Amino acid sequence: MAASLKQKIAEVFDEPGCDKNQGKSEKERKKGCTKQLSPGAAAGGCAFDGAKIALQPIVDVAHLVHGPIACEGNSWDNRHSASSGSQLYRTGFTTDINELDVVYGGEKRLFKSVREIIEKYNPPAVFVYQTCVTALIGDDIEAVCKKASEKFGKPVIPVNSPGFAGPKNLGNKLGGESILDYVIGTEEPEYTTPYDINIIGEYNLSGELWQIKPLLDALGVRILSCISGDGRYHEVASSHRAKVNMMVCSKSMINIATRMEKNWGIPYFEGSFYGIGDMSDTLRQIARLLVKQGAGADLIDRTERLIEVEEARAWKRLEKYKERLKGKRVLLITGGVKSWSVVSALQEVGMEIVGTSVKKSTKEDKEKIKEIMGDDAHMIDDMTPREMYAMLRDAKADIMLSGGRSQFIALKARMPWLDINQERHHAYGGYEGMVELVEEIDKALYNPVWQQVRIPAPWDEVDAGMLQADPFVKPVKAEGQGGGGHGHDQGHGHEHAHA
């Protein structure tokens, strides 16, 4: 690992916004939180993956992956981060290095790739992502990006986060460091207002930001920059002129908020857009901090009036679901801000949380879960698929909310499942999103398909009847089910086809 990358990782982990870090001695803080990846540990995402996830929603930028084509993969719409304008971010750019590049170096290929992108697409900037292979052969992407910037008169931003550096979360922060070092503060906005804010760690998944923006527009609050959902390079570059920063997911980009507070004196707070109560608290905190920073004092009264109207409208629409969902048990397998914000949202309509995953949550996230659910909160560090299946099969939960990778566990247990992670097709932010979330949960729970799939298969009913009539009579197996493993697999396949 290059010395510059080691130094950057040490700086990232010496995080003033992390209570756990501040509780350490100065000697312990210097050690950081680095932990070498064990084989298979990158299955949930490596540092490169984390950096690309964090920055790709900047929609008008060309995102160039310097590495083998497999690192770029199939990037088209894999996170449903929506754009209100440019679609350039949805195009996968890669240098596609080969064996000869590994031997002779890939820097010339990288420079030519940057030139081709600028000539063909003319983006406001090009982001270049380092990967494991190119980092191991010693390609200096910082030097190439500097030379390309001087040659073509465009910002070419190095994102030095090779996969072997650490897990996805470290990559999120390294991506944030790149825009702190090379982007934020490099341009000035056309104009500023006392009501300018940045939203950090919001990715506009399925258009969630667009459910929040009308509420802020109604208050006269301007989103100067969103880092990074539906973001624009110029907006991010001039985001240092905002009056307040809102931190949505501290797990990924807390370093941006703390560095901006240190460098430009912009105060920040962590809030959530999920659930009626949390949405209202977020609006109140934005108003309070903006007034403290010089906005008109009437903003607080206007915020309260807006909250009153929006809450009444949302609760009126949710009333019909409260009786149907009251007491329903939810298993929540997610992480980060959703590990506590979605809990609060579901409790508002009377649902019970039997467990929430905290594998990707910070210490602050866990404290908020305890605050919401009490000391007996069932927080799951790392639940295995077998444990999830047993919990659902034994009816300890009525529905599972998780990402797409866990859906087949719920379906195998013949239990309802709802996508709550980045691949989802529905937006759950704000008051409108809360209504949408409850509607989708209600549809999943009361879908008649679950009654159908839980009915025993006809051959299972016959076997059960024979056993009940004479317990000493063995069930007759269908042809091909007895004996060898192949026959057993066929019987198992029949059961799953029915389920």
Side-chain angles (χ1 to χ4, degrees), residues 43-45 168 360 402-409 417 423:
K168 182 165 67 174
K360 299 177 183 178
S402 71
R405 282 182 294 178
S406 306
Q407 65 176 303
F408 301 105
I409 299 167
W417 169 82
E423 302 93 352

Short mmCIF file of all heavy atoms in Angstrom, two decimals, residues 43-45 168 360 402-409 417 423:
data_model
loop_
_atom_site.label_atom_id
_atom_site.label_comp_id
_atom_site.label_asym_id
_atom_site.label_seq_id
_atom_site.Cartn_x
_atom_site.Cartn_y
_atom_site.Cartn_z
N ALA A 43 -17.11 -9.45 0.28
CA ALA A 43 -18.34 -9.87 -0.40
C ALA A 43 -19.42 -8.81 -0.30
O ALA A 43 -20.25 -8.66 -1.19
CB ALA A 43 -18.83 -11.19 0.19
N GLY A 44 -19.41 -8.06 0.79
CA GLY A 44 -20.39 -6.99 0.94
C GLY A 44 -19.92 -5.68 0.39
O GLY A 44 -20.60 -4.66 0.54
N GLY A 45 -18.76 -5.66 -0.29
CA GLY A 45 -18.25 -4.43 -0.88
C GLY A 45 -16.87 -4.09 -0.38
O GLY A 45 -16.57 -4.19 0.80
N LYS A 168 -16.16 -1.52 2.46
CA LYS A 168 -16.93 -0.52 1.71
C LYS A 168 -17.04 0.81 2.47
O LYS A 168 -16.95 1.88 1.88
CB LYS A 168 -18.31 -1.08 1.40
CG LYS A 168 -19.19 -0.15 0.59
CD LYS A 168 -20.38 -0.87 0.01
CE LYS A 168 -21.36 -1.33 1.05
NZ LYS A 168 -22.58 -1.89 0.46
N LYS A 360 -23.74 -2.70 9.97
CA LYS A 360 -23.14 -1.54 9.31
C LYS A 360 -23.47 -0.24 10.05
O LYS A 360 -23.44 0.84 9.46
CB LYS A 360 -23.67 -1.44 7.87
CG LYS A 360 -23.34 -2.66 7.01
CD LYS A 360 -23.96 -2.51 5.63
CE LYS A 360 -23.72 -3.74 4.78
NZ LYS A 360 -24.36 -3.63 3.46
N SER A 402 -35.44 -5.95 4.17
CA SER A 402 -34.00 -6.11 4.00
C SER A 402 -33.60 -5.70 2.59
O SER A 402 -34.41 -5.15 1.84
CB SER A 402 -33.60 -7.57 4.25
OG SER A 402 -34.07 -8.40 3.21
N GLY A 403 -32.36 -6.02 2.23
CA GLY A 403 -31.90 -5.81 0.87
C GLY A 403 -32.18 -7.03 0.01
O GLY A 403 -32.62 -8.07 0.50
N GLY A 404 -31.91 -6.89 -1.28
CA GLY A 404 -32.25 -7.95 -2.22
C GLY A 404 -31.54 -9.26 -1.97
O GLY A 404 -32.05 -10.33 -2.29
N ARG A 405 -30.33 -9.21 -1.36
CA ARG A 405 -29.58 -10.44 -1.14
C ARG A 405 -30.25 -11.37 -0.14
O ARG A 405 -29.98 -12.56 -0.11
CB ARG A 405 -28.16 -10.12 -0.67
CG ARG A 405 -27.25 -9.68 -1.80
CD ARG A 405 -25.84 -9.43 -1.32
NE ARG A 405 -25.77 -8.30 -0.40
CZ ARG A 405 -24.66 -7.90 0.19
NH1 ARG A 405 -23.54 -8.54 -0.02
NH2 ARG A 405 -24.65 -6.86 1.00
N SER A 406 -31.12 -10.82 0.72
CA SER A 406 -31.76 -11.63 1.76
C SER A 406 -33.17 -12.07 1.38
O SER A 406 -33.80 -12.80 2.14
CB SER A 406 -31.83 -10.84 3.08
OG SER A 406 -30.56 -10.38 3.46
N GLN A 407 -33.66 -11.63 0.24
CA GLN A 407 -35.07 -11.88 -0.07
C GLN A 407 -35.39 -13.37 -0.19
O GLN A 407 -36.49 -13.80 0.20
CB GLN A 407 -35.46 -11.17 -1.37
CG GLN A 407 -34.76 -11.69 -2.61
CD GLN A 407 -35.25 -11.03 -3.88
OE1 GLN A 407 -36.43 -11.06 -4.19
NE2 GLN A 407 -34.34 -10.40 -4.61
N PHE A 408 -34.45 -14.17 -0.68
CA PHE A 408 -34.75 -15.58 -0.92
C PHE A 408 -34.88 -16.37 0.38
O PHE A 408 -35.51 -17.42 0.41
CB PHE A 408 -33.69 -16.19 -1.84
CG PHE A 408 -33.62 -15.49 -3.17
CD1 PHE A 408 -32.59 -14.63 -3.46
CD2 PHE A 408 -34.64 -15.65 -4.11
CE1 PHE A 408 -32.54 -13.96 -4.68
CE2 PHE A 408 -34.60 -14.98 -5.33
CZ PHE A 408 -33.55 -14.14 -5.60
N ILE A 409 -34.29 -15.86 1.46
CA ILE A 409 -34.47 -16.50 2.76
C ILE A 409 -35.92 -16.37 3.19
O ILE A 409 -36.55 -17.33 3.64
CB ILE A 409 -33.54 -15.85 3.81
CG1 ILE A 409 -32.07 -16.02 3.38
CG2 ILE A 409 -33.78 -16.44 5.19
CD1 ILE A 409 -31.11 -15.17 4.15
N TRP A 417 -41.80 -10.32 2.28
CA TRP A 417 -40.52 -9.61 2.28
C TRP A 417 -40.69 -8.30 1.53
O TRP A 417 -41.45 -8.21 0.56
CB TRP A 417 -39.45 -10.46 1.59
CG TRP A 417 -38.18 -9.71 1.31
CD1 TRP A 417 -37.15 -9.46 2.16
CD2 TRP A 417 -37.80 -9.09 0.06
NE1 TRP A 417 -36.16 -8.74 1.54
CE2 TRP A 417 -36.54 -8.51 0.25
CE3 TRP A 417 -38.42 -8.99 -1.19
CZ2 TRP A 417 -35.88 -7.82 -0.76
CZ3 TRP A 417 -37.76 -8.29 -2.19
CH2 TRP A 417 -36.49 -7.73 -1.97
N GLU A 423 -31.67 -1.03 -3.80
CA GLU A 423 -32.21 -1.52 -5.06
C GLU A 423 -33.71 -1.29 -5.20
O GLU A 423 -34.30 -1.62 -6.21
CB GLU A 423 -31.93 -3.03 -5.20
CG GLU A 423 -30.46 -3.41 -5.13
CD GLU A 423 -30.05 -3.78 -3.71
OE1 GLU A 423 -30.87 -3.60 -2.78
OE2 GLU A 423 -28.91 -4.23 -3.52
#
